[in-house]
Amino acid sequence: MTDAIEIRDSMPDDLRAIETLYPDAFPDEDLLPLVKSLLAETQSILSLVAIADGAFAGHVVFTTCGVSGASGKVALLGPLAVASSRQRQGIGSALIREGLRRSADAGMHRVLVLGDPAYYGRFGFAPDEYVAPPYALPDEWRGAWQSVDLPGNTQSPRGKLEVPPPWRHRALWTP
C-alpha cells in the first residue's frame, strides 16, 4: 500500500496525464473518447485524480444521473483507472471511497456501477434489481450491474437509469 495518496478534483492541466493513464491501465480498450466527453460535462460529473508519492496515479469519474419516474439522484461510477505500475496499492480504493463520500455529501441516494463484483463488492456494492441500465445487458454481465445505497439515503429509486449523452452509446453496455 502506498503511504501518501492525495485525492483531489481533476483540473484541466491533468488532461495530458489522464490521456496517458487510460491506455496504460486498459491497453485493450479505448476509453479516452468516453473520458474526454465526460470531462466536458462539467455540471454532471465528479472527476477525481489520485496523486501517490508525488506522481499521477489514478482517475475516476462519477456521473450524476436520473432514474425514470423517480426523484432521487444517483451517480454512475466509471471509468476508474489506476496506472499499471501502481495497481494493488490502495489507489483505486481511495478514489472510490472519496467519490462515494462526496456523492453522499452531494445528496446522491445511490451509486451504480457496471464492473467486477469481486472488486466492487468490497465497497458494499451488490447486484441491483431496481434500477435498469440504459441498455439491456448480456446475461453474463447481469451480476456486474451493481449499486450501493449511500448514507442518509431515504429513497430507493426504481426505474431506468437516465444518463447524459456521453453514456448513450450502446457499445459501452455490451461486449
Side-chain angles (χ1 to χ4, degrees), residues 31 49 113 145:
L31 293 173
V49 299
V113 67
W145 183 241

Side-chain angles (χ1 to χ4, degrees), residues 41-97:
E41 296 275 329
T42 57
Q43 295 298 321
S44 64
I45 67 147
L46 169 63
S47 174
L48 301 173
V49 299
I51 308 299
D53 301 323
F56 194 92
H59 178 250
V60 70
V61 177
F62 287 76
T63 306
T64 301
C65 300
V67 177
S68 62
S71 60
K73 296 190 304 181
V74 300
L76 179 61
L77 187 167
L80 165 68
V82 174
S84 61
S85 64
R86 303 308 301 254
Q87 292 176 3
R88 302 186 194 291
Q89 297 177 18
I91 293 165
S93 296
L95 284 162
I96 291 170
R97 285 189 182 97

Side-chain angles (χ1 to χ4, degrees), residues 69-149:
S71 60
K73 296 190 304 181
V74 300
L76 179 61
L77 187 167
L80 165 68
V82 174
S84 61
S85 64
R86 303 308 301 254
Q87 292 176 3
R88 302 186 194 291
Q89 297 177 18
I91 293 165
S93 296
L95 284 162
I96 291 170
R97 285 189 182 97
E98 180 64 9
L100 292 174
R101 185 191 68 75
R102 290 191 190 195
S103 293
D105 289 350
M108 300 292 162
H109 298 282
R110 180 182 287 164
V111 174
L112 297 121
V113 67
L114 180 60
D116 179 6
Y119 182 76
Y120 290 101
R122 296 186 287 167
F123 307 99
F125 284 87
D128 190 291
E129 299 175 7
Y130 302 110
V131 177
Y135 299 98
L137 298 175
D139 287 341
E140 63 268 21
W141 286 17
R142 296 248 183 245
W145 183 241
Q146 306 158 81
S147 68
V148 63
D149 286 330

Side-chain angles (χ1 to χ4, degrees), residues 143-159:
W145 183 241
Q146 306 158 81
S147 68
V148 63
D149 286 330
L150 296 175
N153 176 22
T154 58
Q155 300 179 15
S156 291
R158 295 173 183 234

Side-chain angles (χ1 to χ4, degrees), residues 76 132-137 145 160-163 167-168 170 173:
L76 179 61
Y135 299 98
L137 298 175
W145 183 241
K160 187 172 186 175
L161 187 67
E162 297 173 340
V163 294
W167 284 108
R168 293 184 194 152
R170 186 178 301 276
W173 302 91

Side-chain angles (χ1 to χ4, degrees), residues 34-45 166:
L34 172 62
V35 172
K36 287 180 178 182
S37 292
L38 288 170
L39 292 175
E41 296 275 329
T42 57
Q43 295 298 321
S44 64
I45 67 147

